[in-house]
Amino acid sequence: MRDTLLIAVYAFAGAAATGVAGAGLLRLIRRRSLTASLAVVAAVEVVAMLAGTLAVARAMFLSPHDLTVVTTVVAMAAVVSLLTALLLGRWVVARSRELAVAARAFGDGAAFTAPDGPATAELEHLSRELTATSVKLAESRAREAALETSRRELVAWISHDLRTPLAGLRAMAEALEDGVAADPDRYLKQMRTEVERLDGMVGDLFELSRIHAGTLPLAPTRISLYDLVGDALAGADPLAREHGVRLVGGRIEPVPVEVDGKEMSRVLGNLLVNAIRRTPADGTVAVTAERSPEGVVLSVTDGCGGIPEEDLPRVFDTGWRGTHARTPPAGAGLGLAIVRGIVEAHQGRATVRNTPGGCRFEVVGGPPAAR
Protein backbone atom coordinates (compact mmCIF):
# COMPACT_ATOMS: atom_id res chain seq x y z
CA MET A 1 0.00 0.00 0.00
CA ARG A 2 2.89 2.32 0.82
CA ASP A 3 4.57 1.62 -2.54
CA THR A 4 1.35 2.42 -4.39
CA LEU A 5 1.01 5.71 -2.55
CA LEU A 6 4.62 6.64 -3.37
CA ILE A 7 4.10 5.77 -7.04
CA ALA A 8 1.02 8.00 -7.11
CA VAL A 9 2.89 10.88 -5.48
CA TYR A 10 5.87 10.66 -7.87
CA ALA A 11 3.60 10.33 -10.91
CA PHE A 12 1.50 13.31 -9.82
CA ALA A 13 4.58 15.44 -9.17
CA GLY A 14 5.99 14.78 -12.64
CA ALA A 15 2.64 15.32 -14.36
CA ALA A 16 1.94 18.48 -12.32
CA ALA A 17 5.27 20.00 -13.32
CA THR A 18 4.45 19.31 -16.96
CA GLY A 19 0.98 20.74 -16.53
CA VAL A 20 2.33 23.98 -15.06
CA ALA A 21 4.77 24.34 -17.92
CA GLY A 22 1.98 23.62 -20.44
CA ALA A 23 -0.28 26.23 -18.86
CA GLY A 24 2.48 28.81 -19.15
CA LEU A 25 3.04 27.89 -22.78
CA LEU A 26 -0.69 28.14 -23.52
CA ARG A 27 -0.70 31.60 -21.98
CA LEU A 28 2.17 32.67 -24.21
CA ILE A 29 0.47 31.45 -27.40
CA ARG A 30 -3.10 32.40 -26.43
CA ARG A 31 -3.29 34.82 -29.38
CA ARG A 32 -2.06 32.26 -31.88
CA SER A 33 -4.07 29.78 -33.93
CA LEU A 34 -6.32 27.23 -32.24
CA THR A 35 -4.27 24.52 -33.94
CA ALA A 36 -1.21 25.46 -31.88
CA SER A 37 -3.21 25.40 -28.65
CA LEU A 38 -4.62 21.95 -29.43
CA ALA A 39 -1.13 20.68 -30.23
CA VAL A 40 0.15 22.00 -26.90
CA VAL A 41 -2.74 20.33 -25.04
CA ALA A 42 -2.03 16.98 -26.74
CA ALA A 43 1.68 17.31 -26.04
CA VAL A 44 1.05 18.16 -22.39
CA GLU A 45 -1.07 15.04 -21.96
CA VAL A 46 1.60 12.76 -23.38
CA VAL A 47 4.57 14.52 -21.73
CA ALA A 48 2.74 14.49 -18.39
CA MET A 49 2.42 10.72 -18.66
CA LEU A 50 6.06 10.40 -19.62
CA ALA A 51 7.20 12.70 -16.82
CA GLY A 52 5.24 10.70 -14.26
CA THR A 53 6.69 7.50 -15.61
CA LEU A 54 10.26 8.84 -15.47
CA ALA A 55 9.71 10.08 -11.93
CA VAL A 56 8.50 6.63 -10.86
CA ALA A 57 11.40 4.96 -12.69
CA ARG A 58 13.92 7.26 -11.00
CA ALA A 59 12.55 6.13 -7.66
CA MET A 60 13.45 2.56 -8.76
CA PHE A 61 9.88 1.34 -9.10
CA LEU A 62 10.44 0.31 -12.76
CA SER A 63 13.10 -1.89 -14.32
CA PRO A 64 15.11 -0.57 -17.28
CA HIS A 65 13.27 -2.93 -19.60
CA ASP A 66 9.86 -1.81 -18.38
CA LEU A 67 10.92 1.84 -18.67
CA THR A 68 11.94 1.30 -22.32
CA VAL A 69 8.63 -0.33 -23.11
CA VAL A 70 6.61 2.41 -21.43
CA THR A 71 8.68 5.16 -23.09
CA THR A 72 8.17 3.59 -26.52
CA VAL A 73 4.42 3.30 -25.96
CA VAL A 74 4.24 6.92 -24.79
CA ALA A 75 6.25 8.11 -27.80
CA MET A 76 3.86 6.37 -30.22
CA ALA A 77 0.92 7.81 -28.32
CA ALA A 78 2.49 11.25 -28.57
CA VAL A 79 2.77 10.97 -32.35
CA VAL A 80 -0.85 9.89 -32.73
CA SER A 81 -2.10 12.54 -30.28
CA LEU A 82 -0.22 15.36 -32.02
CA LEU A 83 -1.45 14.30 -35.46
CA THR A 84 -5.03 14.09 -34.19
CA ALA A 85 -4.79 17.50 -32.52
CA LEU A 86 -3.32 19.06 -35.66
CA LEU A 87 -6.06 17.60 -37.85
CA LEU A 88 -8.78 18.75 -35.45
CA GLY A 89 -7.19 22.18 -35.16
CA ARG A 90 -6.91 22.63 -38.93
CA TRP A 91 -10.54 21.56 -39.41
CA VAL A 92 -11.85 23.92 -36.73
CA VAL A 93 -9.71 26.79 -38.05
CA ALA A 94 -10.90 26.20 -41.61
CA ARG A 95 -14.52 26.22 -40.47
CA SER A 96 -13.90 29.40 -38.46
CA ARG A 97 -12.38 31.10 -41.50
CA GLU A 98 -15.42 30.15 -43.60
CA LEU A 99 -17.66 31.69 -40.94
CA ALA A 100 -15.51 34.82 -40.90
CA VAL A 101 -15.80 35.19 -44.68
CA ALA A 102 -19.57 34.69 -44.53
CA ALA A 103 -19.89 37.18 -41.66
CA ARG A 104 -17.82 39.75 -43.58
CA ALA A 105 -20.21 39.37 -46.51
CA PHE A 106 -23.35 40.20 -44.53
CA GLY A 107 -21.46 42.98 -42.76
CA ASP A 108 -20.99 44.55 -46.20
CA GLY A 109 -24.72 44.44 -46.86
CA ALA A 110 -25.29 40.93 -48.20
CA ALA A 111 -27.29 38.24 -46.43
CA PHE A 112 -25.43 35.75 -44.24
CA THR A 113 -25.26 32.20 -45.61
CA ALA A 114 -23.83 29.53 -43.31
CA PRO A 115 -21.04 27.46 -44.89
CA ASP A 116 -21.95 23.93 -45.96
CA GLY A 117 -20.54 20.91 -44.21
CA PRO A 118 -20.42 19.56 -40.66
CA ALA A 119 -19.44 21.75 -37.75
CA THR A 120 -19.03 21.49 -34.00
CA ALA A 121 -22.01 22.31 -31.81
CA GLU A 122 -20.46 25.66 -30.83
CA LEU A 123 -19.76 26.68 -34.44
CA GLU A 124 -23.23 25.54 -35.49
CA HIS A 125 -24.73 27.67 -32.72
CA LEU A 126 -22.63 30.61 -33.88
CA SER A 127 -23.90 30.11 -37.43
CA ARG A 128 -27.50 30.21 -36.23
CA GLU A 129 -26.84 33.38 -34.24
CA LEU A 130 -25.19 35.02 -37.24
CA THR A 131 -28.14 34.03 -39.43
CA ALA A 132 -30.58 35.58 -36.96
CA THR A 133 -28.42 38.71 -36.77
CA SER A 134 -28.33 38.91 -40.56
CA VAL A 135 -32.14 38.82 -40.70
CA LYS A 136 -32.38 41.57 -38.07
CA LEU A 137 -29.86 43.71 -39.96
CA ALA A 138 -31.80 43.26 -43.19
CA GLU A 139 -35.00 44.35 -41.45
CA SER A 140 -33.18 47.30 -39.91
CA ARG A 141 -31.80 48.36 -43.29
CA ALA A 142 -35.30 48.12 -44.80
CA ARG A 143 -36.73 50.27 -42.00
CA GLU A 144 -33.90 52.76 -42.39
CA ALA A 145 -34.49 52.97 -46.14
CA ALA A 146 -38.22 53.48 -45.57
CA LEU A 147 -37.54 56.18 -43.00
CA GLU A 148 -35.09 57.90 -45.33
CA THR A 149 -37.64 57.83 -48.14
CA SER A 150 -40.29 59.19 -45.78
CA ARG A 151 -37.93 61.93 -44.59
CA ARG A 152 -37.14 63.02 -48.14
CA GLU A 153 -40.81 63.07 -49.08
CA LEU A 154 -41.59 65.07 -45.94
CA VAL A 155 -38.88 67.62 -46.72
CA ALA A 156 -40.16 67.97 -50.29
CA TRP A 157 -43.79 68.32 -49.20
CA ILE A 158 -43.00 70.72 -46.38
CA SER A 159 -40.91 72.84 -48.74
CA HIS A 160 -43.80 72.94 -51.22
CA ASP A 161 -46.42 73.74 -48.60
CA LEU A 162 -44.31 76.41 -46.95
CA ARG A 163 -43.52 78.08 -50.24
CA THR A 164 -47.20 78.52 -51.17
CA PRO A 165 -48.35 80.52 -48.11
CA LEU A 166 -45.06 82.42 -47.96
CA ALA A 167 -45.48 83.51 -51.58
CA GLY A 168 -49.03 84.62 -50.82
CA LEU A 169 -47.94 86.53 -47.72
CA ARG A 170 -45.17 88.23 -49.68
CA ALA A 171 -47.57 89.28 -52.47
CA MET A 172 -50.15 90.62 -50.04
CA ALA A 173 -47.50 92.45 -47.98
CA GLU A 174 -46.12 94.10 -51.14
CA ALA A 175 -49.65 95.10 -52.21
CA LEU A 176 -50.30 96.69 -48.82
CA GLU A 177 -46.92 98.38 -48.83
CA ASP A 178 -47.47 99.84 -52.31
CA GLY A 179 -51.00 100.93 -51.46
CA VAL A 180 -52.58 98.99 -54.32
CA ALA A 181 -54.69 96.66 -52.16
CA ALA A 182 -58.35 97.21 -53.03
CA ASP A 183 -59.53 95.82 -49.69
CA PRO A 184 -56.77 96.07 -47.02
CA ASP A 185 -58.94 94.47 -44.32
CA ARG A 186 -59.50 91.40 -46.46
CA TYR A 187 -55.77 91.16 -47.13
CA LEU A 188 -54.98 91.42 -43.43
CA LYS A 189 -57.52 88.71 -42.62
CA GLN A 190 -56.07 86.43 -45.27
CA MET A 191 -52.55 87.08 -44.01
CA ARG A 192 -53.59 86.12 -40.52
CA THR A 193 -55.12 82.90 -41.87
CA GLU A 194 -51.89 82.02 -43.67
CA VAL A 195 -49.80 82.81 -40.58
CA GLU A 196 -52.02 80.54 -38.46
CA ARG A 197 -51.62 77.80 -41.03
CA LEU A 198 -47.84 78.17 -40.95
CA ASP A 199 -47.90 78.15 -37.17
CA GLY A 200 -49.90 74.92 -37.23
CA MET A 201 -47.38 73.28 -39.57
CA VAL A 202 -44.46 74.31 -37.38
CA GLY A 203 -46.31 73.03 -34.31
CA ASP A 204 -46.91 69.67 -36.00
CA LEU A 205 -43.24 69.40 -36.92
CA PHE A 206 -42.19 70.16 -33.36
CA GLU A 207 -44.64 67.59 -31.97
CA LEU A 208 -43.48 64.96 -34.42
CA SER A 209 -39.83 65.61 -33.60
CA ARG A 210 -40.54 65.06 -29.90
CA ILE A 211 -42.38 61.84 -30.69
CA HIS A 212 -39.53 60.49 -32.82
CA ALA A 213 -36.98 61.51 -30.19
CA GLY A 214 -39.00 59.74 -27.47
CA THR A 215 -39.24 62.95 -25.44
CA LEU A 216 -42.98 63.52 -25.66
CA PRO A 217 -44.01 64.43 -22.09
CA LEU A 218 -47.14 62.64 -20.89
CA ALA A 219 -49.15 63.52 -17.79
CA PRO A 220 -51.80 60.79 -17.48
CA THR A 221 -54.89 61.65 -15.49
CA ARG A 222 -58.16 59.86 -14.88
CA ILE A 223 -60.71 61.21 -17.34
CA SER A 224 -64.07 60.10 -18.73
CA LEU A 225 -63.95 58.96 -22.33
CA TYR A 226 -67.42 60.47 -22.78
CA ASP A 227 -66.14 63.93 -21.85
CA LEU A 228 -63.02 63.51 -23.99
CA VAL A 229 -65.05 62.65 -27.09
CA GLY A 230 -67.66 65.32 -26.35
CA ASP A 231 -65.04 68.06 -26.20
CA ALA A 232 -63.44 66.85 -29.44
CA LEU A 233 -66.80 66.81 -31.23
CA ALA A 234 -67.57 70.31 -30.01
CA GLY A 235 -64.21 71.57 -31.27
CA ALA A 236 -64.65 69.97 -34.71
CA ASP A 237 -68.27 71.08 -35.18
CA PRO A 238 -67.47 74.46 -36.85
CA LEU A 239 -65.26 72.76 -39.44
CA ALA A 240 -67.94 70.12 -40.06
CA ARG A 241 -70.57 72.83 -40.60
CA GLU A 242 -68.26 74.65 -43.00
CA HIS A 243 -67.88 71.47 -45.08
CA GLY A 244 -71.52 70.43 -44.76
CA VAL A 245 -70.63 67.24 -42.92
CA ARG A 246 -72.72 65.71 -40.13
CA LEU A 247 -70.94 64.67 -36.94
CA VAL A 248 -72.54 61.71 -35.17
CA GLY A 249 -71.47 60.49 -31.74
CA GLY A 250 -72.98 57.09 -31.10
CA ARG A 251 -72.24 54.44 -28.47
CA ILE A 252 -70.04 56.74 -26.42
CA GLU A 253 -69.63 54.88 -23.15
CA PRO A 254 -68.64 56.88 -20.04
CA VAL A 255 -65.53 54.76 -19.54
CA PRO A 256 -62.87 56.16 -17.19
CA VAL A 257 -59.38 56.04 -18.75
CA GLU A 258 -55.87 57.05 -17.65
CA VAL A 259 -54.48 59.20 -20.47
CA ASP A 260 -52.90 62.56 -21.11
CA GLY A 261 -56.02 64.59 -21.84
CA LYS A 262 -54.26 67.21 -23.95
CA GLU A 263 -52.47 64.73 -26.18
CA MET A 264 -55.47 62.44 -26.61
CA SER A 265 -57.59 65.47 -27.48
CA ARG A 266 -55.08 66.15 -30.22
CA VAL A 267 -55.44 62.55 -31.42
CA LEU A 268 -59.21 62.90 -31.64
CA GLY A 269 -58.96 66.33 -33.22
CA ASN A 270 -56.57 65.12 -35.92
CA LEU A 271 -58.76 62.10 -36.72
CA LEU A 272 -61.90 64.26 -36.92
CA VAL A 273 -60.28 66.95 -39.08
CA ASN A 274 -58.87 64.27 -41.38
CA ALA A 275 -62.31 62.60 -41.65
CA ILE A 276 -64.24 65.86 -42.21
CA ARG A 277 -61.92 67.12 -44.94
CA ARG A 278 -62.18 63.87 -46.87
CA THR A 279 -65.91 63.34 -46.50
CA PRO A 280 -68.06 64.96 -49.23
CA ALA A 281 -70.79 67.45 -48.36
CA ASP A 282 -73.92 65.89 -46.86
CA GLY A 283 -71.72 63.02 -45.68
CA THR A 284 -71.43 61.69 -42.14
CA VAL A 285 -68.52 61.25 -39.74
CA ALA A 286 -69.36 58.85 -36.90
CA VAL A 287 -67.47 58.51 -33.62
CA THR A 288 -67.82 55.59 -31.20
CA ALA A 289 -66.07 54.73 -27.95
CA GLU A 290 -66.68 51.46 -26.15
CA ARG A 291 -65.14 48.60 -24.26
CA SER A 292 -63.82 45.52 -26.04
CA PRO A 293 -61.88 42.36 -25.08
CA GLU A 294 -58.69 44.20 -26.10
CA GLY A 295 -59.43 47.25 -23.97
CA VAL A 296 -61.01 50.57 -24.92
CA VAL A 297 -61.69 51.17 -28.64
CA LEU A 298 -62.23 54.64 -30.03
CA SER A 299 -63.22 54.79 -33.70
CA VAL A 300 -63.81 57.51 -36.31
CA THR A 301 -65.62 56.43 -39.49
CA ASP A 302 -65.79 58.76 -42.50
CA GLY A 303 -67.29 58.76 -45.97
CA CYS A 304 -64.12 59.30 -48.01
CA GLY A 305 -64.93 56.45 -50.39
CA GLY A 306 -62.16 54.22 -49.08
CA ILE A 307 -58.39 54.05 -49.35
CA PRO A 308 -56.61 51.93 -51.97
CA GLU A 309 -55.47 48.66 -50.41
CA GLU A 310 -51.86 49.30 -51.41
CA ASP A 311 -51.92 52.61 -49.52
CA LEU A 312 -53.39 51.31 -46.26
CA PRO A 313 -49.98 50.32 -44.76
CA ARG A 314 -48.69 53.88 -45.39
CA VAL A 315 -51.58 55.87 -43.97
CA PHE A 316 -49.80 56.61 -40.69
CA ASP A 317 -46.39 57.27 -42.31
CA THR A 318 -44.86 60.70 -41.89
CA GLY A 319 -45.83 62.95 -44.79
CA TRP A 320 -48.33 60.56 -46.40
CA ARG A 321 -51.37 62.32 -47.84
CA GLY A 322 -52.65 59.99 -50.55
CA THR A 323 -52.89 60.68 -54.24
CA HIS A 324 -55.75 63.20 -54.09
CA ALA A 325 -54.77 65.16 -50.98
CA ARG A 326 -52.38 67.64 -52.54
CA THR A 327 -54.43 70.74 -51.94
CA PRO A 328 -53.10 73.17 -49.31
CA PRO A 329 -55.90 72.57 -46.77
CA ALA A 330 -54.70 68.99 -46.46
CA GLY A 331 -51.76 70.21 -44.39
CA ALA A 332 -48.30 68.75 -44.30
CA GLY A 333 -49.38 65.13 -43.95
CA LEU A 334 -48.28 64.95 -40.30
CA GLY A 335 -51.63 64.60 -38.56
CA LEU A 336 -51.96 60.82 -38.75
CA ALA A 337 -48.27 60.29 -38.01
CA ILE A 338 -48.76 62.35 -34.84
CA VAL A 339 -51.84 60.26 -34.01
CA ARG A 340 -49.85 57.04 -34.19
CA GLY A 341 -46.95 58.48 -32.20
CA ILE A 342 -49.17 59.73 -29.36
CA VAL A 343 -51.18 56.51 -29.23
CA GLU A 344 -48.05 54.34 -29.14
CA ALA A 345 -46.62 56.59 -26.41
CA HIS A 346 -49.73 55.56 -24.43
CA GLN A 347 -48.89 51.89 -25.13
CA GLY A 348 -51.81 51.60 -27.54
CA ARG A 349 -52.10 51.18 -31.28
CA ALA A 350 -53.77 52.99 -34.17
CA THR A 351 -55.22 51.12 -37.16
CA VAL A 352 -57.28 51.84 -40.27
CA ARG A 353 -59.47 49.68 -42.49
CA ASN A 354 -61.92 50.26 -45.28
CA THR A 355 -65.66 50.19 -44.69
CA PRO A 356 -68.56 50.49 -47.18
CA GLY A 357 -68.28 54.02 -48.56
CA GLY A 358 -65.35 55.13 -46.42
CA CYS A 359 -62.77 54.03 -43.90
CA ARG A 360 -62.61 53.47 -40.15
CA PHE A 361 -59.77 54.67 -37.95
CA GLU A 362 -59.47 52.90 -34.60
CA VAL A 363 -57.45 53.73 -31.51
CA VAL A 364 -57.12 50.74 -29.19
CA GLY A 365 -55.89 51.35 -25.67
CA GLY A 366 -55.41 49.31 -22.54
CA PRO A 367 -58.06 48.38 -20.01
CA PRO A 368 -60.15 51.22 -18.57
CA ALA A 369 -59.03 52.85 -15.35
CA ALA A 370 -60.35 51.40 -12.12
CA ARG A 371 -63.35 53.25 -10.79
Side-chain angles (χ1 to χ4, degrees), residues 169-188:
L169 286 171
R170 180 178 180 179
M172 287 184 286
E174 290 177 349
L176 289 172
E177 184 179 13
D178 296 340
V180 296
D183 188 353
D185 290 338
R186 184 175 65 84
Y187 274 50
L188 291 173

Side-chain angles (χ1 to χ4, degrees), residues 286-324:
V287 183
T288 63
E290 54 193 346
R291 292 181 177 91
S292 78
E294 298 178 286
V296 178
V297 179
L298 174 66
S299 68
V300 177
T301 305
D302 60 34
C304 67
I307 300 173
E309 291 295 328
E310 63 273 14
D311 286 342
L312 282 176
R314 296 196 59 200
V315 167
F316 292 99
D317 289 352
T318 301
W320 186 88
R321 291 187 290 187
T323 56
H324 57 279

Side-chain angles (χ1 to χ4, degrees), residues 43-331:
V44 166
E45 292 177 356
V46 176
V47 173
M49 184 185 300
L50 181 60
T53 302
L54 292 176
V56 171
R58 189 174 182 82
M60 304 302 292
F61 289 104
L62 285 178
S63 65
H65 177 267
D66 292 341
L67 179 60
T68 302
V69 172
V70 171
T71 303
T72 303
V73 171
V74 170
M76 296 302 100
V79 173
V80 174
S81 298
L82 286 174
L83 289 176
T84 303
L86 290 174
L87 287 174
L88 175 61
R90 288 177 63 85
W91 179 75
V92 172
V93 169
R95 180 70 178 186
S96 299
R97 287 174 177 170
E98 292 175 355
L99 281 176
V101 172
R104 188 180 304 115
F106 92 82
D108 293 336
F112 174 79
T113 303
D116 296 329
T120 63
E122 292 78 10
L123 291 179
E124 190 66 30
H125 177 71
L126 179 60
S127 295
R128 290 195 298 269
E129 291 296 326
L130 288 174
T131 301
T133 302
S134 175
V135 172
K136 291 179 181 178
L137 283 176
E139 294 174 351
S140 177
R141 292 191 186 101
R143 287 194 301 269
E144 183 179 353
L147 287 174
E148 179 63 18
T149 301
S150 177
R151 185 190 66 81
R152 290 181 179 178
E153 291 177 351
L154 175 62
V155 171
W157 290 340
I158 288 292
S159 300
H160 173 273
D161 289 336
L162 286 176
R163 187 179 296 113
T164 302
L166 288 175
L169 286 171
R170 180 178 180 179
M172 287 184 286
E174 290 177 349
L176 289 172
E177 184 179 13
D178 296 340
V180 296
D183 188 353
D185 290 338
R186 184 175 65 84
Y187 274 50
L188 291 173
K189 183 178 179 180
Q190 183 62 29
M191 290 174 69
R192 180 175 179 179
T193 300
E194 295 296 340
V195 169
E196 289 176 350
R197 180 179 159 212
L198 289 172
D199 181 69
M201 293 172 63
V202 172
D204 286 347
L205 284 172
F206 179 67
E207 183 84 352
L208 195 62
S209 68
R210 292 197 300 175
I211 290 172
H212 287 170
T215 59
L216 180 67
L218 294 179
T221 57
R222 189 172 182 273
I223 186 173
S224 171
L225 195 58
Y226 183 87
D227 294 337
L228 189 66
V229 174
D231 293 342
L233 288 173
D237 186 64
L239 181 64
R241 291 178 181 274
E242 179 183 344
H243 286 74
V245 174
R246 294 184 298 275
L247 285 180
V248 177
R251 302 199 311 275
I252 308 296
E253 297 186 15
V255 182
V257 290
E258 289 280 346
V259 296
D260 186 306
K262 177 182 177 182
E263 296 299 337
M264 287 307 298
S265 294
R266 181 160 194 169
V267 167
L268 279 172
N270 286 0
L271 290 176
L272 287 171
V273 168
N274 179 74
I276 292 169
R277 285 177 172 168
R278 284 160 177 75
T279 299
D282 294 329
T284 300
V285 172
V287 183
T288 63
E290 54 193 346
R291 292 181 177 91
S292 78
E294 298 178 286
V296 178
V297 179
L298 174 66
S299 68
V300 177
T301 305
D302 60 34
C304 67
I307 300 173
E309 291 295 328
E310 63 273 14
D311 286 342
L312 282 176
R314 296 196 59 200
V315 167
F316 292 99
D317 289 352
T318 301
W320 186 88
R321 291 187 290 187
T323 56
H324 57 279
R326 298 299 302 151
T327 55

